[in-house]
Amino acid sequence: MNRKTLIVGPCAAENAAQMAAVAQALKPVLGDSSAQGFDIVLRAGLWKPRSSPATFQGVGAEGLPWLQDTAKQLGIPPATEVAQPEHLLSAYKASIRHFWIGARTTSNPFMVEALASTQLPDKQNIVWYIKNPISPDIELWCGAVERLQAAGYEHICAIHRGFALGDSTTSIYRNAPMWSVAIEFKRRYPAIPLLTDASHIAGNAEHVATIAEQSLRMGMDGLMIEVHPEPQKALSDARQQLTPEALSELLQRLTMIAVNQPGNEQNELSALRQQIDETDDELWALLRKRIDIARRIGEYKRAHNIPVLQNERYNELLSRRMHWAEEHGIDPQAAKQLMDIIHEQSVLRQL
Ligand code: PEP
Ligand code: MN
């Protein structure tokens, strides 16, 4: 069984008593056999990059000893988020060797560069976890990886935490998973472990399990999950943090998935893959046929001075396709995204 990484702990270290309660509550959960298949790391944010300055901003360096103590009691390494060289230096001095770069920081190459170029003596003992940037811009994510690699760091992992698309009304999740971006990251960096931050994607404790299970089934290398002794009293991300009991229950389900991978159904799998390849061949042949027709429509429109873009016609195509998708159990928003790409290619071909 492949060992997976599990980064668990509260969104933020809030005070000494809360971190002591974290140690007490996680001890039995992490000691349980269901946690044995994971390499576990304790998380707690000290410097919190909160959108609004009116909210809890983290306790800063004051919380370092609480994090150290809790990790020591649990016998696992501590991790915290760093955004500035001062964060990195003070956490490093407190013997912390696991650092994550938050989504807002990955979005800013100046900040990533400042972290990468901070001089630390034993880079080979440091593990970096780089979250994807806020927007689905894979180049920013890769850029952050490359900056840390260029600075001489060898232990680099990535964390998929979803993307803020500004349309939370159309999604049940806080951050859109957009798995295609994570899959593309994995394709570009097959050797870099890719974890899923199920809590920040879900945004709601109720949906954490779904995202976590999907991730492991997909073959992701681990998970970040927020857990708090009393989630309803948490100073940040109260809605999405699991209780220790919920974490324990989830770990049992996740272990089943991890243990059952990679499965004995290899023959059936290759037969199904063969079918996928054949279906893809047909799909692409059809796409080529569609583009050919679009080219002929383009010639007709040019000859008759008709503008290429016909809004009404596209609206009609789109709504028919989205209704069809819904009836057939396909996410209409996904159908729209696909249709938008196909239509854009048609428009370009007509031009
Ligand atoms: C966090 O891990 O608490 C956090 C702030 O995450 P993100 O950078 O993914 O928003
Ligand atoms: Mn959080």
Side-chain angles (χ1 to χ4, degrees):
M1 168 182 163
N2 263 349
R3 287 190 74 76
K4 310 263 181 198
T5 301
L6 175 66
I7 307 178
V8 275
C11 178
E14 298 167 0
N15 53 60
Q18 171 244 12
M19 286 303 282
V22 168
Q24 206 180 2
L26 288 190
K27 189 117 200 153
V29 179
L30 304 186
D32 192 90
S33 61
S34 61
Q36 300 307 306
F38 296 95
D39 290 325
I40 305 174
V41 174
L42 174 72
R43 67 154 280 154
L46 299 168
W47 298 276
K48 298 298 301 170
R50 308 296 304 290
S51 302
S52 161
T55 54
F56 174 63
Q57 305 292 299
V59 295
E62 189 193 345
L64 284 165
W66 316 331
L67 177 55
Q68 276 177 298
D69 272 4
T70 303
K72 205 165 156 200
Q73 286 184 55
L74 293 170
I76 55 178
T80 199
E81 172 168 351
V82 291
Q84 291 170 359
E86 306 87 85
H87 304 161
L88 178 57
L89 288 167
S90 63
Y92 180 86
K93 267 192 222 133
S95 308
I96 293 177
R97 296 292 180 266
H98 292 244
F99 305 104
W100 81 85
I101 297 184
R104 291 156 190 82
T105 307
T106 307
S107 304
N108 186 332
F110 285 139
M111 295 175 82
V112 176
E113 189 58 41
L115 291 171
S117 59
T118 300
Q119 287 308 315
L120 297 176
D122 59 345
K123 289 185 170 168
Q124 65 285 0
N125 291 323
I126 288 172
V127 185
W128 284 100
Y129 302 90
I130 307 172
K131 292 206 183 189
N132 63 256
I134 291 278
S135 59
D137 180 345
I138 190 153
E139 303 305 337
L140 277 173
W141 201 2
C142 297
V145 169
E146 283 159 28
R147 283 174 202 276
L148 287 158
Q149 282 176 333
Y153 290 104
E154 289 162 18
H155 304 297
I156 294 177
C157 303
I159 300 182
H160 169 222
R161 50 78 78 199
F163 301 92
L165 300 183
D167 64 349
S168 50
T169 44
T170 63
S171 169
I172 53 168
Y173 302 125
R174 175 181 180 187
N175 289 299
M178 296 188 75
W179 294 104
S180 58
V181 183
I183 292 166
E184 173 61 11
F185 183 94
K186 193 86 195 133
R187 197 186 64 75
R188 291 194 195 187
Y189 296 103
I192 294 187
L194 178 58
L195 282 55
T196 304
D197 178 343
S199 303
H200 286 89
I201 290 180
N204 193 315
E206 208 186 305
H207 299 309
V208 169
T210 309
I211 298 289
E213 287 176 25
Q214 284 179 354
S215 299
L216 288 195
R217 288 219 165 82
M218 226 179 278
M220 294 296 168
D221 303 294
L223 295 164
M224 178 179 258
I225 296 175
E226 287 185 339
V227 56
H228 192 286
E230 291 178 285
Q232 73 285 2
K233 291 191 186 155
L235 299 183
S236 58
D237 290 347
R239 271 157 44 106
Q240 72 194 29
Q241 303 202 60
L242 299 189
T243 59
E245 297 72 38
L247 175 69
S248 168
E249 210 173 285
L250 175 59
L251 282 184
Q252 278 163 33
R253 302 227 301 271
L254 295 178
T255 302
M256 297 288 290
I257 299 171
V259 167
N260 289 331
Q261 264 171 4
N264 297 320
E265 317 293 325
Q266 290 302 324
N267 289 338
E268 194 183 338
L269 182 62
S270 29
L272 288 170
R273 282 184 171 155
Q274 173 81 22
Q275 286 180 42
I276 283 279
D277 289 350
E278 285 163 13
T279 311
D280 278 353
D281 287 345
E282 287 168 26
L283 192 62
W284 283 96
L286 280 175
L287 279 174
R288 213 202 62 185
K289 182 174 166 191
R290 192 187 193 284
I291 287 176
D292 255 6
I293 299 173
R295 184 183 47 76
R296 280 161 49 204
I297 292 182
E299 284 163 8
Y300 182 91
K301 284 180 180 165
R302 185 173 308 204
H304 296 83
N305 249 334
I306 302 173
V308 165
L309 212 50
Q310 297 286 326
N311 238 341
E312 222 167 277
R313 161 84 179 145
Y314 186 50
N315 277 335
E316 182 194 308
L317 279 188
L318 200 54
S319 91
R320 196 179 336 137
R321 204 48 60 197
M322 287 170 76
H323 276 119
W324 186 91
E326 189 144 36
E327 275 168 19
H328 291 80
I330 296 170
D331 176 6
Q333 285 306 320
K336 178 175 186 303
Q337 280 175 358
L338 205 52
M339 204 55 208
D340 282 346
I341 295 173
I342 294 172
H343 178 248
E344 184 186 35
Q345 289 303 313
S346 282
V347 167
L348 291 175
R349 187 52 69 107
Q350 293 184 36
L351 293 173

